[in-house]
Amino acid sequence: MLSGRQVSILLLVCLLLSLSGCWSRREIETLGFVMAMGIDKAQEEGKLQLTMLVAKPFALGGGEKSNPQEAAVWIFSSTGDTVFEAIRNGNSQSPRRLFFAHNRWVLFGEELAREGIQQALDFWSRDGESRRTVHVAVAKGTTASQMLQTRFELERQPSEGARGILNNAAKALSTVVTVRLNEFLQSLESPGVSPVASRADIVPRPKDPDVRGEVVEEVIGSSARITGAAVFKRDHLVGWLDQSETRGLNWVRSEVRSALLVIEDPGNPGQRIGIEITRARGQSSVEHVDGRFVARIKVEAEGHLGDTTAFVEPETDIWELLEKRMAQAIREDIYAAVSKGQKLQTDFFGFGSYLYRSNPRLWSQVEDEWQDLIFPTMAVEIDVRSQLRRTGLVIRSDKLTSR
Amino acid sequence: MWSRLRKLWRNRQEEKTASPKREETLSSQLEANADRIKTEFGDSADIQIRRLRIGRDGQRHALLISIDGLIDKKYLTEAVLLPLVQTDIPTGSGVEVFQYLKEQMLAVAEVTETDRMARVLMALGGGDSVLFVQDVAKALIFDTKGWEQRGIEEPITESTIRGSKEGFVENIRTNTALLRRRIRSPRLRVEEYTIGRVSQTRIALVYVDGLAEERMVDEVRRRLEGIDVDAIQGSGHLEEYITDAPYSPFPVWMPTERPDRAAGALLEGRIVILIDGTPFQLVAPATFTMFLDTGEDYCSDYLIASLLRPLRFAAFVASLILPSVYVAIVTFHQEMLPTSLILSIASQREGVPLPTVFEALMMETIFEVMREAGVRLPRIVGTAISIIGALVLGEAAIRAELVSPIMAVVVAATGIASFSVPIYSFGIAPRMLRFVFLLLAGSLGLFGVIVGLFALHIHLVSLRSLGVPYFEPLAPLVVSDLKDSLIRAPWWSMDTRPRLVGEKSGSRRQRRHLRPGRFPTERREKER
């Protein structure tokens, strides 16, 4: 059989195994799953306050064991000089080890965001446990800890509720930006582009009515609305984009998946037509002409007629007019976004990074004054090609004959 | 160490079975022979000694000896006793009478003559009858075997829906006939061996001449001839003496109850060993993928067979590592599951006192105990066990929060997966290794599972069955044989024999024109 030598080699190999691998066994029920985390300035000068949303598994699934009245999350906060210290301090309040691999959100309070978030971000890029796929958002006009106390309908986990709204709005409206930590860190680091983040506002939450409209729950809580975008310059929050400005940014970044544009009916003044965008593509370039920089934005959009408030009979001339107005609406979105960016002196479109890639030598000359001087004054040409494809299941509107 | 033990054992056996000596001859005295036989069998109750006076005149004494229960009495009476007693026998010397009896009088198909005591004793044990004639130092042996035996029934462990319903039985002669009926060519060779000093078990080495590699047949002959033991009790017993991998949990001889499977293997150039006394016969060389085939694969549609084989393979893998992967993910890699799933698992683990790995070990052990209890009990009680075990115990354990529901799901899924491995003796390996993998997963996480899989894979590819690599045709890759591995290609496309087994006459099974759309008649018309 085996000789003594062979046995000892075998044993050595077995010992080798214990040097490597995952010697960090932790039972699942000893973990506190952090679902979202908010970062604010602490009351104490110079410190950070961390607010964490920890899922309560026993309040969730489990069928008979679960209690629908019980809140599905536990919210608590801790402070520290750095994010890491605040997390470790948080472990003194939590009976379960805080576990960040399933974290969905990193939310910054407006006050902290305006002062800069570089120091708060460092931990997330170093730590191996948390993912770079977490969403980055800024709470407008409030603190992150306030924002994390809001509730959502249909989802018991606020983090999932917020994520659902974000995804849904991105798919249907394109009036939000979906920014993951990885993209945020990348645009923070790359030359010529400023980062943006999702923007969250607190709105009053309506009373809970039952099906007959009678109020069941009197307490009015608050809910979060996720829409628009938070605009940074380097790591400082400098301003906000509203819905159409955000859509304008998405046209340029080619991130419009679907959207709804409302334009005026060319045949019936005062009446409106809703156009569903089904496909859109945006391209931008920066050219240096006669000592001046010109940004050229090219957008191709396709859509179909979604609904109308008046009677529409699609004839060729009306159709062309509709397409023109559709292009005009898109152009207006983009203008709004560009002028906001120029006003805030921050190039979140990434025109600078385009220049950096296409003409690095020129970029190195203008790099220092790009954000403050060149971008705010540069000319922007917008070329929109729009096409209306279909009218839905009917060609013309149903006519009311009994009038 | 092993060989030393075996040698020791062999020496002891030789002392025990010293008598009778091979050279001992028969006596011409009837009573001397009778006494000798009686002492050899120790006056056993089932020895029947019939003293006769043969011929109508009743001049000559004779002895007819047989063992009750092994012989067909009616046949013995009609074919031997009646002619002996009722017909005239020419007078002459004892030897002349003896020759007359042997050659002209007795209407028995198989008669042999011997003068050795050892031969007589063996014949009696095998169900033959022996006739001694006064003054002749020889004996006549008649084949009068006839004992109670099971008829040919449907194989229990390998039943099929569309395939043949015949299964091997315990009688080796019936089994050789079952094979001959499927392969009528005279090239089917049956070599018989008698192995076991005491049991004298009949064993047949079956192969098709011209298809089976001679070196392979020689090797099996060599291994069979090397066996020197008291008894061979069945195919599992024999397998341990002739296997290529005595320390492996994986079988390299495939046991089968199905004659059509054995015949199929013979036609591919494989070797079959039939053992008297068991319906399970051995096939080799056997490869990994063969153990995941069923007889059904070859007689049902090739599409469904090709879909079921990967499914069975997946079930095999699941029966090996499903609980350990679950344990590894839940205790080491919580980041690997989707958030909603991990929260659901966490909520089910809430309140369970045992660590996940012990929970899994406990559940798997209980499952094995239930399985063992259910198999050993009579069928009616067996159902009760499964109801108590699965329904009452499982449900109560979950309600008492001793185990989490998802663990019950994992263990049950593993159990079901292990039942879909078609060959029982092959399913045993994952059954045992599952526990090793659980310990690896509980201590090292997925890394441990991967280490285990690597080690297992190294072991599997190093196994050989009669010199054929166990993982053939996957490793070494034999492209043409992939047609009958994890898929089962249409019969008309499998036009070569397995390369490493039937290489010798690898040419053809199906003419090319038998492929669909090119029927011979059609072709002939075109040519005209």
Side-chain angles (χ1 to χ4, degrees):
Chain A
M1 261 188 89
L2 294 177
S3 69
R5 195 185 151 85
Q6 281 170 313
V7 168
S8 55
I9 289 176
L10 211 68
L11 272 176
L12 272 177
V13 169
C14 290
L15 282 176
L16 264 181
L17 291 183
S18 64
L19 293 180
S20 165
C22 340
W23 198 267
S24 53
R25 201 172 71 89
R26 47 193 185 209
E27 289 296 329
I28 192 169
E29 67 271 14
T30 62
L31 298 181
F33 290 93
V34 176
M35 303 300 289
M37 107 167 311
I39 308 175
D40 289 307
K41 282 180 72 176
Q43 282 177 323
E44 226 174 316
E45 188 57 39
K47 285 205 171 187
L48 291 171
Q49 181 186 348
L50 240 67
T51 309
M52 280 167 272
L53 224 70
V54 182
K56 291 186 192 168
F58 43 89
L60 287 169
E64 45 208 271
K65 271 193 268 176
S66 73
N67 175 9
Q69 297 305 314
E70 196 178 338
V73 286
W74 169 50
I75 304 173
F76 76 104
S77 41
S78 65
T79 58
D81 286 323
T82 67
V83 173
F84 203 9
E85 195 205 347
I87 288 174
R88 283 291 155 100
N89 285 342
N91 272 309
S92 70
Q93 294 174 55
S94 168
R96 297 185 174 184
R97 181 188 177 280
L98 296 173
F99 185 64
F100 290 90
H102 286 276
N103 188 13
R104 297 278 205 206
W105 290 91
V106 174
L107 186 65
F108 294 98
E110 181 168 357
E111 205 186 340
L112 176 74
R114 289 212 181 263
E115 288 183 10
I117 55 173
Q118 174 75 55
Q119 45 159 347
L121 281 174
D122 187 69
F123 173 75
W124 304 107
S125 45
R126 282 181 201 280
D127 185 46
E129 190 173 281
S130 59
R131 298 182 183 220
R132 284 200 163 202
T133 55
V134 294
H135 294 288
V136 181
V138 182
K140 183 171 188 287
T142 180
T143 59
S145 64
Q146 286 290 318
M147 183 64 71
L148 285 177
Q149 288 168 45
T150 57
R151 282 173 61 189
F152 291 87
E153 302 297 336
L154 300 181
E155 288 283 352
R156 296 189 64 199
Q157 290 284 349
S159 61
E160 301 302 294
R163 210 170 71 105
I165 287 177
L166 185 71
N167 289 343
N168 211 15
K171 265 182 221 157
L173 286 166
S174 300
T175 55
V176 292
V177 285
T178 309
V179 182
R180 294 176 184 276
L181 185 67
N182 194 42
E183 301 159 41
F184 193 88
L185 291 171
Q186 269 178 11
S187 47
L188 204 57
E189 243 177 68
S190 32
V193 59
S194 300
V196 290
S198 301
R199 156 186 165 177
D201 305 66
I202 289 191
V203 290
R205 186 164 164 271
K207 297 171 184 180
D208 281 353
D210 72 0
V211 279
R212 288 162 301 175
E214 285 174 21
V215 172
V216 183
E217 201 181 323
E218 277 296 343
V219 185
I220 302 172
S222 54
S223 188
R225 185 170 59 199
I226 297 164
T227 180
V231 179
F232 285 76
K233 185 173 186 177
R234 276 177 226 100
D235 67 325
H236 300 279
L237 175 74
V238 289
W240 306 95
L241 298 188
D242 67 14
Q243 295 199 7
S244 68
E245 288 161 355
T246 310
R247 196 165 56 202
L249 170 63
N250 283 335
W251 290 120
V252 178
R253 297 201 306 180
S254 197
E255 276 179 15
V256 172
R257 280 193 273 177
S258 176
L260 198 84
L261 291 178
V262 177
I263 57 175
E264 198 178 19
D265 186 345
N268 306 290
Q271 300 291 344
R272 304 264 160 203
I273 289 176
I275 288 171
E276 184 190 354
I277 303 296
T278 50
R279 203 177 70 80
R281 212 159 69 89
Q283 267 183 315
S284 51
S285 59
V286 177
E287 280 167 35
H288 193 230
V289 189
D290 306 331
R292 281 179 58 84
F293 287 95
V294 181
R296 293 188 211 282
I297 300 170
K298 227 167 103 179
V299 174
E300 287 168 32
E302 257 177 44
H304 59 237
L305 209 154
D307 68 345
T308 166
T309 54
F311 177 77
V312 172
E313 180 139 33
E315 285 150 18
T316 325
D317 48 339
I318 298 243
W319 205 247
E320 280 172 2
L321 224 61
L322 282 174
E323 285 180 342
K324 262 185 201 156
R325 292 200 174 185
M326 180 178 149
Q328 182 58 31
I330 294 172
R331 209 171 288 128
E332 277 166 17
D333 282 346
I334 298 173
Y335 265 127
V338 168
S339 52
K340 186 61 144 300
Q342 290 183 329
K343 203 181 97 199
L344 297 171
Q345 301 189 339
T346 175
D347 178 11
F348 47 78
F349 296 97
F351 293 142
S353 81
Y354 181 85
L355 186 66
Y356 168 67
R357 273 175 286 153
S358 60
N359 196 345
R361 200 173 298 161
L362 185 59
W363 169 252
S364 62
Q365 289 165 20
V366 299
E367 191 178 355
D368 295 334
E369 46 195 22
W370 180 263
Q371 298 265 4
D372 296 330
L373 294 172
I374 298 173
F375 171 71
T377 56
M378 75 191 290
V380 175
E381 283 178 15
I382 305 169
D383 175 20
V384 180
R385 282 179 204 168
S386 60
Q387 279 184 313
L388 268 180
R389 293 287 193 200
R390 283 169 288 274
T391 59
L393 295 183
V394 293
I395 293 172
R396 48 168 205 144
S397 311
D398 299 322
K399 214 175 215 166
L400 295 176
T401 47
S402 64
R403 186 172 284 179
Chain B
M1 191 181 75
W2 182 239
S3 58
R4 222 178 301 155
L5 266 178
R6 241 203 295 204
K7 211 182 277 173
L8 243 169
W9 192 38
R10 200 178 297 161
N11 290 344
R12 279 188 52 197
Q13 295 309 307
E14 272 162 17
E15 286 161 26
K16 266 191 186 171
T17 52
S19 62
K21 291 273 181 295
R22 276 185 91 83
E23 302 78 34
E24 186 183 339
T25 49
L26 295 169
S27 157
S28 55
Q29 294 304 307
L30 288 182
E31 287 310 316
N33 284 330
D35 288 346
R36 186 78 187 88
I37 289 169
K38 264 190 190 166
T39 41
E40 273 303 326
F41 279 99
D43 259 334
S44 291
D46 51 355
I47 297 280
Q48 283 186 336
I49 301 182
R50 179 94 159 78
R51 292 186 174 75
L52 303 165
R53 277 193 286 167
I54 56 173
R56 215 175 256 171
D57 49 353
Q59 287 302 312
R60 202 168 285 275
H61 289 265
L63 265 183
L64 184 63
I65 305 180
S66 55
I67 295 183
D68 196 15
L70 295 184
I71 55 158
D72 187 341
K73 275 188 179 164
K74 199 176 162 206
Y75 177 62
L76 183 68
T77 313
E78 279 172 9
V80 181
L81 270 176
L82 281 179
L84 275 179
V85 184
Q86 289 182 354
T87 47
D88 288 321
I89 294 173
T91 49
S93 70
V95 180
E96 281 165 12
V97 172
F98 190 81
Q99 281 303 321
Y100 178 77
L101 290 178
K102 182 187 168 194
E103 282 161 12
Q104 291 180 17
M105 208 179 85
L106 300 172
V108 182
E110 204 182 315
V111 181
T112 40
E113 175 191 320
T114 184
D115 58 353
R116 303 272 163 198
M117 181 50 86
R119 177 80 183 82
V120 166
L121 292 173
M122 239 183 74
L124 283 173
D128 293 341
S129 304
V130 182
L131 182 73
F132 294 98
V133 180
Q134 180 83 51
D135 299 333
V136 182
K138 282 180 185 173
L140 279 184
I141 298 171
F142 310 110
D143 179 11
T144 54
K145 293 183 194 74
W147 52 75
E148 290 303 313
Q149 66 175 46
R150 204 164 59 94
I152 294 174
E153 284 168 22
E154 197 178 338
I156 299 166
T157 57
E158 294 169 82
S159 56
T160 59
I161 293 164
R162 203 174 151 181
S164 142
K165 303 280 183 201
E166 278 181 339
F168 281 124
V169 294
E170 279 79 356
N171 185 343
I172 194 169
R173 200 40 76 226
T174 316
N175 291 344
T176 52
L178 283 171
L179 288 180
R180 277 248 184 246
R181 289 223 308 259
R182 281 173 175 76
I183 305 172
R184 295 201 192 170
S185 159
R187 284 159 69 194
L188 182 74
R189 297 292 146 83
V190 180
E191 288 174 15
E192 216 164 284
Y193 292 82
T194 306
I195 300 181
R197 288 161 172 244
V198 181
S199 71
Q200 301 285 339
T201 310
R202 294 163 81 194
I203 282 165
L205 165 63
V206 187
Y207 61 95
V208 177
D209 188 41
L211 292 185
E213 189 85 31
E214 268 111 34
R215 282 179 304 157
M216 229 174 244
V217 181
D218 283 343
E219 175 61 22
V220 179
R221 278 188 201 122
R222 196 184 63 78
R223 290 186 195 179
L224 286 177
E225 280 157 7
I227 301 174
D228 184 13
V229 293
D230 269 1
I232 292 290
Q233 298 285 18
S235 58
H237 194 168
L238 182 70
E239 188 185 342
E240 288 191 18
Y241 289 122
I242 57 174
T243 179
D244 296 51
Y247 301 109
S248 174
F250 289 89
V252 294
W253 283 80
M254 186 178 78
T256 184
E257 258 192 295
R258 301 188 59 84
D260 56 347
R261 234 175 148 179
L266 286 172
L267 290 172
E268 284 178 338
R270 295 179 208 275
I271 293 163
V272 173
I273 292 186
L274 303 175
I275 302 109
D276 198 27
T278 173
F280 290 93
Q281 319 304 336
L282 296 174
V283 176
T287 56
F288 182 84
T289 54
M290 275 169 71
F291 288 96
L292 295 174
D293 301 350
T294 64
E296 193 75 31
D297 289 352
Y298 295 103
C299 49
S300 62
D301 185 64
Y302 64 88
L303 288 174
I304 187 70
S306 299
L307 289 173
L308 286 178
R309 280 193 184 175
L311 196 70
R312 261 180 245 131
F313 180 70
F316 168 77
V317 174
S319 74
L320 189 65
I321 62 168
L322 184 65
S324 45
V325 166
Y326 169 76
V327 165
I329 287 181
V330 167
T331 52
F332 285 93
H333 316 283
Q334 290 92 351
E335 66 279 352
M336 283 185 67
L337 290 182
T339 306
S340 51
L341 181 57
I342 200 81
L343 285 180
S344 156
I345 293 175
S347 76
Q348 294 179 35
R349 282 280 303 158
E350 205 69 51
V352 176
L354 291 171
T356 316
V357 59
F358 290 116
E359 190 190 0
L361 282 172
M362 185 183 82
M363 286 294 280
E364 286 292 346
T365 312
I366 290 176
F367 175 74
E368 287 298 329
V369 171
M370 262 163 50
R371 189 165 162 175
E372 195 57 21
V375 169
R376 301 286 163 255
L377 283 173
R379 201 156 289 175
I380 307 159
V381 193
T383 5
I385 283 285
S386 60
I387 289 171
I388 296 170
L391 296 178
V392 182
L393 193 68
E395 180 70 21
I398 290 168
R399 283 201 179 249
E401 295 193 341
L402 282 175
V403 290
S404 53
I406 188 143
M407 178 56 80
V409 171
V410 168
V411 171
T414 312
I416 290 168
S418 73
F419 287 130
S420 63
V421 174
I423 304 277
Y424 179 78
S425 67
F426 189 67
I428 287 172
R431 221 169 122 187
M432 294 185 293
L433 293 175
R434 191 185 299 155
F435 288 88
V436 179
F437 274 94
L438 263 178
L439 291 175
L440 280 173
S443 55
L444 295 169
L446 276 186
F447 173 72
V449 176
I450 297 297
V451 166
L453 283 177
F454 266 88
L456 179 65
H457 202 238
I458 289 170
H459 171 67
L460 281 176
V461 293
S462 70
L463 281 183
R464 275 161 191 273
S465 175
L466 285 186
V468 173
Y470 202 48
F471 250 56
E472 194 262 343
L474 304 171
L477 185 69
V478 182
V479 176
S480 62
D481 293 356
L482 289 177
K483 290 172 184 172
D484 189 10
S485 55
L486 288 180
I487 57 157
R488 200 278 277 170
W491 275 113
W492 39 259
S493 78
M494 290 196 274
D495 47 11
T496 52
R497 296 196 172 85
R499 192 169 70 91
L500 294 183
V501 182
E503 192 169 23
K504 203 173 158 206
S505 48
S507 51
R508 143 20 287 167
R509 289 182 184 179
Q510 297 279 327
R511 285 282 166 75
R512 209 149 263 276
H513 67 255
L514 283 183
R515 282 166 186 261
R518 283 193 236 163
F519 291 102
T521 48
E522 218 171 278
R523 217 167 68 129
R524 247 176 272 135
E525 268 163 31
K526 256 184 217 160
E527 278 163 10
R528 236 182 278 152

